[in-house]
Amino acid sequence: MDSIAFHDANISDMIESRTLDFRHDVNHRLQMHSSLLRRLSQEKELEGHQGCVNSIAWNSKGSLLVSGSDDTQINIWSYSGRKLLHSIDTGHSANIFCTKFVPETSDELLVSGAGDAEVEVGNPHVVWSASEDGTLRQHDFREGSSCPPAGSTHQECRNILLDLRSGAKRSLADAPLQRLLLKSCDISSMRPNLLLVGGSDAFARLYDRRMLPPLTSCSKKMSPPPCLAYFCPMHLSERGRSSVHLTHVAFSPNGEEILLSYSGEHVYLMNVDNAGGSAMQYTSGDFAKLMSSTHVPCGVELQPPVSETLTDSSPFKSSAAARLDKCRKLIQYADKSLNEGKDYYNGIEACNEVLDGHGHEIGSLLRHECLWIRAALLLKRQWKNDAYMAIRDCNEARKIDSSSFKALYYMSEALLQLGKHKEALDFALAAQCLVPYNPEVGERVENIKQHLAAAEVEKLNKTNNGGPKPESRSGSVLSLSDILYQSDVNSDVSPEGPKSDREDSDYDEELEVHFETSVSGDEGHDVESSSLPGSLNLRFHRRGDSARETGANGSCGSPRSSFKNDRIYQPETVIDMKQRYVGHCNVGTDIKQASFLGQRGEYIASGSDDGRWFIWEKRSGRLIKMLLGDEAVVNCIQSHPFDCAIATSGIDNTIKLWTPTASVPSIVAGGAAGPETSNVLDAMESNQQRFSRLLNFWSNFTCMSLQKGRCIHLNVILLSHKELFLLFQFVLLKKIMLTGWCHVYAS
């Protein structure tokens, strides 16, 4: 849909219309203009690290770039010279994951955080660090060292600002009982009192630092303090999505929006404030209500929508008519895509332009039609969570017309795709009630009834035949997903009693994994050259209790929890998504960023597991640019404070600098080799398959007994070279100890 214009106006007109009064604002708008972003190309590759580059950050003036790497070095680069200025030996003993210039210090001071649980200052005065131990700490360098030296036994850290060691939630309805492994935090530049954190569950949390309790030590685990707001897309807030967690959270430049990047999920935009109903709020149970049917009485005709015209707020009638005509043509294009059964992506993009670009202007007739068409296209495309997005659209369409046949029909299809057969039958019957002689609806009703009957027979057979009963605690049945996602290992109830009645250890169970893989070609099957069938052998061992002792540098040990779940838990109100951004894949790493680009933040960027990075228009979610930035994975994306320049890094040892130097604007561009030959949709489709294959890889291995010394054999149907790499990386990130070896044989 190249005919759809971007929403940042014509760059030539903006330059010509600049005046002294508006020059500052126009310069902000020009920094990351769509015409410049579509010309982005790799200008320079900065070499100087000997390991993966996990962190990059600009100084406030944009003259310097700092980077941290697995080689434990910090490098400082010149933006104007595009070269390495200094390489600093930090003293870290593990991979560096965060580097920043300390503000108001004339760029003379740096701070770094690493996997050795240390924050190094290279001091204005206060630095915050978020850790997987479940705490966010405040370090004030005017007070000297905020933690005792390594090996100290008589002192402890007293710098915990936020204690979330009992802060993780399995779902919105559940009380926070488990440790929240913090992955990311951000401070609002417009309101520095606001603190945003995200970690090992699906909920981002917003705090006011002025309302937090005084700094404490780690000797006693505290109940999580109340927060100003929770943020989570509604479909991720329910039980059963425990494998989803946040890898990055960020405030927009104006502080009014936040961006959430999920592992195993897409990127989502939310409003910070709910003033005037600008953000959708929901509570526990609203998601179930969203999928419940209020039956439509038989014989009720479709309600006539209110209007087809643009609202009266349009200042010029001719302009309004032109926009209305444009919206009609876009909807016709989307309807054609649906009827012809092809080009679903561009059909959805056309609907996005109508609803997100002109949704506040168009009348209810066009809006209703566009909603159900987009829902139908989403169900045809079947990318990750498209069915949930279709449910949202169907409900919005029903708000306009409560007896909308199309909305009821596609709602039943969405629920059917999600395996919710009873709810799907309710909506199918409601649709059939409106059009009793429609053969397509009648066929759907009978199909759903057959699914329900088959499910009842299977359930009855299991009841009559009996099934394998769970083993005792010494050999409990867990899936590989349960093991890898540590928050699921600690069940809430054990033979020893509820967790609230036992000592609540601050440490999850640690496992040693003995790896031995043999992957070879299968001559009997025609498989992709990039995918290899084979087998995977794992041996699990429980770690001893010695790891539960207090660590060095004042790290928290195993305090007794002060949280008691002795009262009825009241779930919080949560702010829902405003927009989502799809096309990339985030499964393999826990440091993948999603960033606002430029001083106005009108565009969104994210790295991906396929070595590419993606840029979307914030307003509509439309993909602007896809670039090849790494041999394996792009993790970090940081835009220059003032110029149209972007730095990226990932698994490679180098940093790439991107500027609008391409001779021709396009949606696709590669590295030094030039434009990619692959189709954009092919790359996006491949990433969607990667989501499903890697996540299903974990969840499909069930019925494992975790007994000391027992070896478990797992069959792997298809495993590509890159997925095998991500498997080992994923296990390491989840703190499972790897022992043994790995062999890969390819014919």
Side-chain angles (χ1 to χ4, degrees):
M1 293 299 292
D2 292 335
S3 60
I4 300 178
F6 297 105
H7 295 106
D8 51 8
N10 184 284
I11 190 169
S12 299
D13 294 342
M14 291 173 62
I15 294 174
E16 291 177 1
S17 64
R18 282 194 300 179
T19 64
L20 183 62
D21 294 336
F22 297 100
R23 185 175 299 168
H24 184 68
D25 181 64
V26 171
N27 286 343
H28 286 183
R29 295 170 63 187
L30 290 175
Q31 181 193 2
M32 293 293 174
H33 194 274
S34 60
S35 61
L36 299 178
L37 292 177
R38 285 181 291 153
R39 291 180 181 269
L40 281 180
S41 181
Q42 181 181 315
E43 178 197 322
K44 183 72 174 180
E45 188 170 18
L46 305 177
E47 299 180 352
H49 280 294
Q50 302 302 316
C52 303
V53 183
N54 305 314
S55 175
I56 50 178
W58 297 95
N59 66 344
S60 59
K61 298 177 182 178
S63 59
L64 300 175
L65 180 71
V66 62
S67 59
S69 168
D70 286 357
D71 61 12
T72 71
Q73 298 287 114
I74 286 181
N75 284 353
I76 301 176
W77 313 83
S78 167
Y79 172 58
S80 60
R82 268 62 166 178
K83 63 181 181 180
L84 179 64
L85 295 179
H86 305 287
S87 187
I88 302 171
D89 187 358
T90 63
H92 283 298
S93 60
N95 303 354
I96 297 176
F97 291 113
C98 182
T99 53
K100 297 285 184 183
F101 286 97
V102 179
E104 308 299 330
T105 63
S106 301
D107 300 326
E108 293 183 356
L109 298 176
L110 296 169
V111 63
S112 62
D116 56 10
E118 293 185 354
V119 176
E120 300 283 349
V121 180
N123 113 9
H125 298 300
V126 179
V127 170
W128 296 273
S129 63
S131 169
E132 289 189 347
D133 67 4
T135 67
L136 186 141
R137 303 182 183 222
Q138 178 172 300
H139 311 269
D140 191 330
F141 304 112
R142 293 168 296 186
E143 300 177 355
S145 177
S146 57
C147 282
S152 174
T153 58
H154 304 290
Q155 294 178 307
E156 60 176 340
C157 287
R158 305 191 65 87
N159 62 346
I160 295 179
L161 178 65
L162 188 58
D163 188 347
L164 293 172
R165 285 174 287 169
S166 295
K169 297 160 62 69
R170 286 175 176 266
S171 72
L172 178 56
D174 294 330
L177 294 174
Q178 301 163 314
R179 180 173 57 178
L180 181 66
L181 284 67
L182 296 179
K183 307 290 184 181
S184 178
C185 67
D186 196 18
I187 299 287
S188 172
S189 60
M190 303 303 292
R191 290 182 284 177
N193 56 296
L194 295 184
L195 168 67
L196 183 68
V197 298
S200 55
D201 65 12
F203 303 92
R205 295 152 172 86
L206 180 68
Y207 294 92
D208 188 330
R209 293 191 289 117
R210 300 169 302 181
M211 301 169 60
L212 294 176
L215 297 178
T216 62
S217 71
C218 66
S219 60
K220 184 178 182 181
K221 189 189 300 183
M222 306 297 293
S223 299
C227 61
L228 297 181
Y230 279 78
F231 301 88
C232 180
M234 186 185 291
H235 62 280
L236 300 183
S237 67
E238 296 299 296
R239 184 182 293 273
R241 310 304 294 269
S242 57
S243 62
V244 172
H245 64 276
L246 287 157
T247 63
H248 193 246
V249 298
F251 281 101
S252 63
N254 63 8
E256 296 177 359
E257 298 168 317
I258 65 167
L259 200 60
L260 307 182
S261 177
Y262 283 91
S263 177
E265 255 289 340
H266 305 297
V267 174
Y268 293 91
L269 180 76
M270 277 108 169
N271 283 343
V272 171
D273 298 317
N274 195 36
S278 60
M280 176 183 174
Q281 290 187 321
Y282 65 93
T283 58
S284 178
D286 285 348
F287 185 59
K289 294 177 183 177
L290 196 68
M291 295 183 287
S292 65
S293 170
T294 53
H295 293 285
V296 180
C298 291
V300 174
E301 297 181 355
L302 290 176
Q303 301 172 357
V306 178
S307 172
E308 188 184 19
T309 61
L310 291 173
T311 59
D312 295 334
S313 62
S314 304
F316 304 104
K317 290 185 178 180
S318 59
S319 173
R323 292 198 302 274
L324 179 60
D325 183 62
K326 173 186 175 182
C327 290
R328 288 198 187 103
K329 290 180 178 179
L330 289 171
I331 293 176
Q332 289 172 3
Y333 178 88
D335 190 40
K336 181 181 178 182
S337 300
L338 178 62
N339 293 330
E340 294 181 353
K342 62 181 182 180
D343 199 17
Y344 299 134
Y345 174 80
N346 284 322
I348 293 170
E349 289 291 286
C351 292
N352 292 344
E353 171 63 18
V354 174
L355 295 170
D356 298 317
H358 303 284
H360 63 292
E361 299 175 319
I362 61 174
S364 58
L365 177 61
L366 283 181
R367 181 172 178 81
H368 172 268
E369 183 181 9
C370 197
L371 283 166
W372 71 255
I373 289 177
R374 185 168 71 174
L377 289 167
L378 287 166
L379 293 170
K380 293 291 185 182
R381 187 176 69 173
Q382 294 187 2
W383 285 7
K384 185 174 181 62
N385 286 335
D386 274 357
Y388 289 108
M389 298 301 106
I391 288 175
R392 293 167 62 97
D393 283 350
C394 289
N395 273 281
E396 288 298 313
R398 291 177 66 208
K399 290 178 182 178
I400 300 173
D401 180 1
S402 60
S403 56
S404 168
F405 163 72
K406 293 290 189 180
L408 293 170
Y409 179 79
Y410 289 115
M411 186 70 143
S412 71
E413 182 175 334
L415 292 166
L416 192 61
Q417 287 189 13
L418 296 174
K420 298 182 179 294
H421 296 97
K422 292 182 179 179
E423 294 87 347
L425 181 60
D426 288 341
F427 280 98
L429 290 172
Q432 188 180 46
C433 194
L434 290 173
V435 285
Y437 302 109
N438 186 307
E440 192 174 2
V441 180
E443 183 180 351
R444 169 157 297 172
V445 169
E446 293 303 317
N447 182 37
I448 298 174
K449 288 181 177 179
Q450 291 176 9
H451 274 93
L452 287 171
E456 287 296 324
V457 170
E458 183 178 359
K459 181 179 179 181
L460 183 62
N461 290 337
K462 286 184 178 180
T463 303
N464 294 336
N465 298 333
K469 297 184 178 180
E471 300 181 31
S472 63
R473 181 172 175 82
S474 61
S476 57
V477 178
L478 296 172
S479 69
L480 183 58
S481 177
D482 289 332
I483 302 166
L484 296 179
Y485 292 101
Q486 294 184 9
S487 61
D488 289 304
V489 176
N490 294 331
S491 58
D492 293 338
V493 180
S494 77
E496 302 166 9
K499 180 173 284 191
S500 59
D501 296 334
R502 298 178 282 117
E503 179 177 351
D504 188 6
S505 172
D506 186 51
Y507 278 82
D508 295 316
E509 183 175 31
E510 294 187 8
L511 303 172
E512 287 187 358
V513 182
H514 179 84
F515 255 100
E516 181 180 358
T517 69
S518 176
V519 183
S520 59
D522 188 346
E523 294 77 5
H525 295 50
D526 184 17
V527 298
E528 299 177 276
S529 60
S530 63
S531 299
L532 304 172
S535 61
L536 183 68
N537 293 280
L538 309 178
R539 185 181 297 274
F540 296 90
H541 300 275
R542 299 183 189 279
R543 291 293 304 268
D545 293 333
S546 59
R548 303 190 178 196
E549 297 176 359
T550 302
N553 290 323
S555 60
C556 292
S558 180
R560 184 180 298 271
S561 172
S562 63
F563 180 80
K564 298 292 182 180
N565 191 22
D566 54 0
R567 61 184 184 278
I568 298 177
Y569 176 66
Q570 297 295 329
E572 298 83 355
T573 299
V574 184
I575 296 179
D576 198 5
M577 59 168 281
K578 178 181 179 181
Q579 185 60 271
R580 76 166 181 162
Y581 308 96
V582 302
H584 78 306
C585 180
N586 179 11
V587 175
T589 61
D590 266 2
I591 58 173
K592 194 169 281 90
Q593 297 177 350
S595 305
F596 292 93
L597 298 184
Q599 298 177 75
R600 290 170 59 88
E602 293 180 302
Y603 294 91
I604 304 297
S606 173
S608 177
D609 288 350
D610 63 351
R612 298 180 176 92
W613 62 287
F614 294 73
I615 302 176
W616 301 271
E617 187 180 38
K618 184 184 75 173
R619 180 178 179 181
S620 66
R622 179 185 179 188
L623 182 66
I624 300 294
K625 193 76 170 177
M626 182 182 75
L627 303 111
L628 183 61
D630 196 277
E631 289 294 324
V633 178
V634 175
N635 284 321
C636 306
I637 298 175
Q638 293 292 314
S639 65
H640 190 274
F642 310 114
D643 291 350
C644 184
I646 302 171
T648 66
S649 68
I651 301 301
D652 290 350
N653 298 349
T654 61
I655 299 167
K656 279 81 172 178
L657 188 64
W658 309 81
T659 55
T661 54
S663 58
V664 179
S666 69
I667 194 173
V668 182
E676 292 181 340
T677 58
S678 62
N679 184 277
V680 175
L681 288 180
D682 289 343
M684 299 173 76
E685 288 276 4
S686 177
N687 279 335
Q688 297 304 307
Q689 296 172 9
R690 185 186 301 267
F691 263 133
S692 301
R693 290 173 64 186
L694 285 176
L695 292 177
N696 289 337
F697 181 82
W698 314 124
S699 59
N700 285 341
F701 301 119
T702 56
C703 301
M704 288 195 262
S705 298
L706 293 184
Q707 293 178 343
K708 185 174 182 179
R710 181 167 180 174
C711 184
I712 300 146
H713 180 82
L714 308 176
N715 289 324
V716 181
I717 306 303
L718 289 174
L719 194 63
S720 70
H721 289 286
K722 186 172 288 188
E723 287 169 342
L724 186 63
F725 161 76
L726 291 176
L727 165 64
F728 295 137
Q729 186 178 42
F730 195 84
V731 171
L732 288 169
L733 284 168
K734 296 305 172 185
K735 305 298 186 296
I736 296 179
M737 301 297 294
L738 263 177
T739 61
W741 56 91
C742 168
H743 298 289
V744 180
Y745 302 99
S747 59

